[in-house]
Amino acid sequence: MVSASANKLSKLKENAGEYACLIMEKLDPEDVGYSELWQLETLLLQRDHYMSYSRPLSTTTSVDWSPNIGTSNANNIVKKASRALKCLVLDNWHRGSIILLWLLAMIGLFTWKFMQYRQMEAFQVMGYCLATAKGAAETLKFNMALILLPVCRNMLTRLRSTRARILIPFDDNINFHKIIAHAIAVGIIFHATDHLACDFPHLVNSSPEKFALVASDFDKLKPSYISLLTGVEGITGISMVILMTIAFILATPHFRRSVHNLPPPLNRLTGFNAFWYSHDHLLAFVYILLLLHGTFLFFVYKWYQKTTWMYISIPLILYIVERTLRTWRSEDYAVKIFKVSVLPGDVLSLIMSKPAGFKYKSGQYIFLQCPTISSFECTRRDDYLSVYIRIVGLGIGATPFISILKDLLNNTRAHEDVDSNTETSASDDSWTSFASSSSTSSGQIEMHNYLTSVYEEGDARSTLITMLQALNHAKHGVDILSGTRVRTHFARPKWTEVFKRIALKHPYSTVGKMRYPHSNDNHHIVEANKTTNIKG
């Protein structure tokens, strides 16, 4: 149980007694009731003997099985840190570049606007509060325009097929969308706080001599604090803050996934519907208010100096075209559900009839709409469709991979009269992998599980788990983590070794890699016969 905890394998704890008996069965074959330390040592060193059973399905390279007790010394720590840093840079350089450019753009805009207001007469009245508020406003306009682009799915799909994909990580669009949202929240705090708590009080309490510098902007009458709040600028600004706060809160995971069990009618504030309403409807009003807010500015007189519309016009038009295109392309198909599978990890599997004329390619996605649940929540060449849905409508990461593998198998069947069988294997915190075993010895697809939460093979902290895995596989032919015949590897794959091994097996083939997030899949079947709709 300690080993399971150290490796974040909570499910192994449930069967700890059974696994302990399995180990004792090997250590104490004569059932004397105890074992000695040297016996356990011998068992640990016999790892290759027990693992040989699983090698035809999941080939492994030979490693030093002696416990890696010296992992804490300084040299190993430095090597691991340098290796981790190298991998971090190589895997994320394009993400880092985009974030850096974005940060530099915000710093540049803030500085430019800050210095612009630093030179104005109004600075003599309201000081650095005004300059800071306007600098933050400039970054807000930029981010309010930019946040629309990552959710233009059709545009991103086309861009993925261009050379731009080499430099821009289009698959991280939602993560970038969230980062921009947090930057907007910070910008709102600075902008609103500076206005409400700093430059407004400075203006209201300014001396007649100082107010004379900006009197022409207020018809020669010094405004009160209330009049500033109830003017067009004040009402639109406060309204935007309220609406965006609601949208931001309802978009957080706790509310979007209904983690909070609120009593009626407050329970309507949680779940996907609330998130969708706030994002799709409230934010539409926010952009209207933003245009008004940027039109009735103090201290700015010429139309081309009121730049809000310049920032958001093109992204807003692109987004409107995107939503119009989605609506125009969408069609409703009524289908019958043949089977519902409740899978571990809060995953729902649906197998339904395939509508006539419904065409798609491996890796594409569809929108499902079940009107009895929601009017908003809205794959392989078979006579049916199979869909995997994470609970409150989340993705499970490997969904495109499932359809690609099924497509490969179906194409293989079309050219060769060979019966194949596809198995799904997965475990907590791992990449989901799919392995096909064929009745022939050739084997079209060979996949491997990599469980990243477990310390690498050869590390003392995973030694016991690896031994247990080998014993269980040798006795039952089943991996203790995935529940299938495919053995799960520990830690991240060492790609150089993996590619070398594959290249040796297939000397005349191209070797590459495809990486997908983790998911949890297994089987627990429930029959059903209902009707739902597919929006495609």
Side-chain angles (χ1 to χ4, degrees):
M1 291 182 71
V2 171
S3 295
S5 297
N7 291 280
K8 301 177 183 177
L9 300 173
S10 57
K11 288 190 177 180
L12 290 189
K13 295 180 182 179
E14 300 171 6
N15 301 316
E18 176 187 337
Y19 296 141
C21 290
L22 181 62
I23 295 173
M24 283 301 297
E25 185 180 315
K26 279 291 175 185
L27 295 178
D28 183 22
E30 298 179 3
D31 198 22
V32 296
Y34 67 91
S35 63
E36 297 185 21
L37 187 58
W38 67 266
Q39 293 173 296
L40 178 61
E41 224 172 87
T42 303
L43 185 64
L44 291 174
L45 294 174
Q46 290 179 345
R47 172 255 190 187
D48 288 334
H49 170 71
Y50 295 109
M51 197 54 66
S52 62
Y53 179 89
S54 62
R55 284 186 178 172
L57 284 176
S58 185
T59 306
T60 60
T61 55
S62 179
V63 297
D64 181 11
W65 183 238
S66 57
N68 190 5
I69 302 298
T71 54
S72 61
N73 63 61
N75 289 336
N76 283 348
I77 291 175
V78 172
K79 287 180 181 178
K80 286 186 177 181
S82 62
R83 193 185 303 122
L85 180 61
K86 183 180 178 181
C87 291
L88 185 67
V89 172
L90 289 175
D91 289 345
N92 298 284
W93 68 267
H94 51 328
R95 296 183 181 92
S97 301
I98 296 297
I99 295 295
L100 181 62
L101 286 174
W102 173 64
L103 289 173
L104 290 175
M106 286 198 298
I107 292 170
L109 288 170
F110 181 91
T111 304
W112 169 66
K113 188 58 68 172
F114 183 92
M115 296 306 298
Q116 187 182 82
Y117 273 83
R118 178 71 177 78
Q119 307 301 321
M120 296 176 68
E121 289 183 331
F123 181 82
Q124 305 299 321
V125 182
M126 291 176 275
Y128 287 100
C129 298
L130 177 64
T132 303
K134 293 300 182 179
E138 204 67 15
T139 66
L140 274 173
K141 290 185 284 188
F142 172 66
N143 284 325
M144 286 296 289
L146 192 61
I147 199 170
L148 294 172
L149 300 181
V151 291
C152 292
R153 288 196 298 259
N154 288 289
M155 180 185 72
L156 293 180
T157 298
R158 291 192 174 276
L159 288 174
R160 282 189 186 96
S161 62
T162 67
R163 292 182 180 271
R165 70 181 184 277
I166 300 172
L167 299 175
I168 303 174
F170 292 112
D171 291 333
D172 289 331
N173 59 317
I174 297 301
N175 289 330
F176 190 46
H177 178 80
K178 292 176 181 178
I179 291 172
I180 298 171
H182 284 86
I184 288 174
V186 172
I188 288 173
I189 291 171
F190 274 98
H191 182 71
T193 302
D194 278 329
H195 274 324
L196 298 176
C198 194
D199 59 32
F200 280 10
H202 275 75
L203 176 64
V204 171
N205 298 317
S206 62
S207 63
E209 295 79 13
K210 284 192 173 183
F211 178 73
L213 297 173
V214 295
S216 59
D217 288 272
F218 302 94
D219 296 329
K220 308 296 182 181
L221 296 174
K222 182 186 288 189
S224 65
Y225 192 84
I226 297 298
S227 66
L228 290 173
L229 294 181
T230 55
V232 176
E233 280 287 277
I235 291 175
T236 55
I238 293 172
S239 299
M240 279 193 293
V241 171
I242 293 172
L243 294 178
M244 292 177 75
T245 300
I246 294 171
F248 189 86
I249 291 173
L250 296 183
T252 57
H254 278 69
F255 279 87
R256 194 176 69 248
R257 300 177 186 176
S258 299
V259 175
H260 297 295
N261 294 319
L262 301 178
L266 296 179
N267 61 337
R268 294 181 176 272
L269 296 177
T270 64
F272 184 86
N273 281 344
F275 159 72
W276 183 260
Y277 270 120
S278 62
H279 251 62
D280 208 47
H281 296 74
L282 289 183
L283 293 183
F285 290 106
V286 167
Y287 279 96
I288 295 172
L289 292 171
L290 179 61
L291 286 170
L292 291 173
H293 190 76
T295 302
F296 294 90
L297 291 175
F298 296 120
F299 318 125
V300 179
Y301 316 107
K302 298 176 181 178
W303 67 270
Y304 56 83
Q305 293 177 327
K306 300 177 180 182
T307 58
T308 303
W309 67 273
M310 298 181 187
Y311 278 99
I312 68 172
S313 57
I314 294 178
L316 197 58
I317 290 171
L318 285 174
Y319 184 72
I320 292 172
V321 170
E322 165 81 16
R323 295 309 301 266
T324 304
L325 182 62
R326 287 189 214 171
T327 303
W328 177 68
R329 289 173 56 188
S330 67
E331 294 182 48
D332 290 336
Y333 300 87
V335 298
K336 270 192 174 182
I337 297 178
F338 297 138
K339 185 183 295 184
V340 177
S341 303
V342 181
L343 312 177
D346 291 335
V347 175
L348 177 70
S349 170
L350 299 178
I351 295 180
M352 62 193 78
S353 60
K354 185 176 179 181
F358 188 76
K359 298 178 180 179
Y360 61 99
K361 296 179 181 179
S362 300
Q364 289 183 321
Y365 54 83
I366 60 175
F367 290 98
L368 298 182
Q369 183 184 98
C370 188
T372 56
I373 298 176
S374 168
S375 57
F376 297 106
E377 295 185 78
C378 312
T379 87
R380 132 183 190 167
R381 288 187 177 88
D382 293 312
D383 293 329
Y384 63 89
L385 297 173
S386 55
V387 182
Y388 296 90
I389 306 170
R390 189 80 180 270
I391 295 299
V392 198
L394 298 176
I396 60 172
T399 305
F401 201 26
I402 298 171
S403 59
I404 290 168
L405 286 175
K406 287 186 175 181
D407 215 23
L408 287 172
L409 291 175
N410 286 338
N411 288 335
T412 301
R413 291 192 188 102
H415 295 289
E416 299 178 17
D417 189 18
V418 178
D419 292 329
S420 296
N421 176 46
T422 301
E423 292 181 3
T424 305
S425 59
S427 53
D428 285 344
D429 304 319
S430 70
W431 299 352
T432 297
S433 303
F434 301 86
S436 76
S437 59
S438 174
S439 59
T440 67
S441 60
S442 59
Q444 294 295 323
I445 300 174
E446 179 183 303
M447 301 303 301
H448 300 258
N449 282 344
Y450 282 91
L451 185 59
T452 58
S453 68
V454 180
Y455 292 101
E456 63 184 7
E457 295 170 354
D459 192 297
R461 290 164 291 190
S462 64
T463 298
L464 194 62
I465 298 296
T466 309
M467 180 196 68
L468 176 62
Q469 182 193 46
L471 290 175
N472 195 76
H473 207 295
K475 183 177 181 180
H476 303 294
V478 174
D479 185 76
I480 60 172
L481 302 176
S482 67
T484 71
R485 292 181 294 160
V486 181
R487 191 180 72 82
T488 300
H489 302 280
F490 293 161
R492 294 187 179 278
K494 297 177 181 177
W495 288 114
T496 303
E497 295 179 11
V498 172
F499 288 159
K500 281 182 180 177
R501 187 171 68 248
I502 296 173
L504 288 172
K505 289 180 64 177
H506 308 279
Y508 302 106
S509 302
T510 301
V511 177
K513 66 176 179 177
M514 297 174 65
R515 298 173 63 182
Y516 288 88
H518 69 273
S519 64
N520 303 294
D521 294 289
N522 224 317
H523 296 289
H524 177 30
I525 305 301
V526 178
E527 295 294 331
N529 187 13
K530 292 190 181 249
T531 302
T532 188
N533 294 326
I534 295 179
K535 279 184 95 69

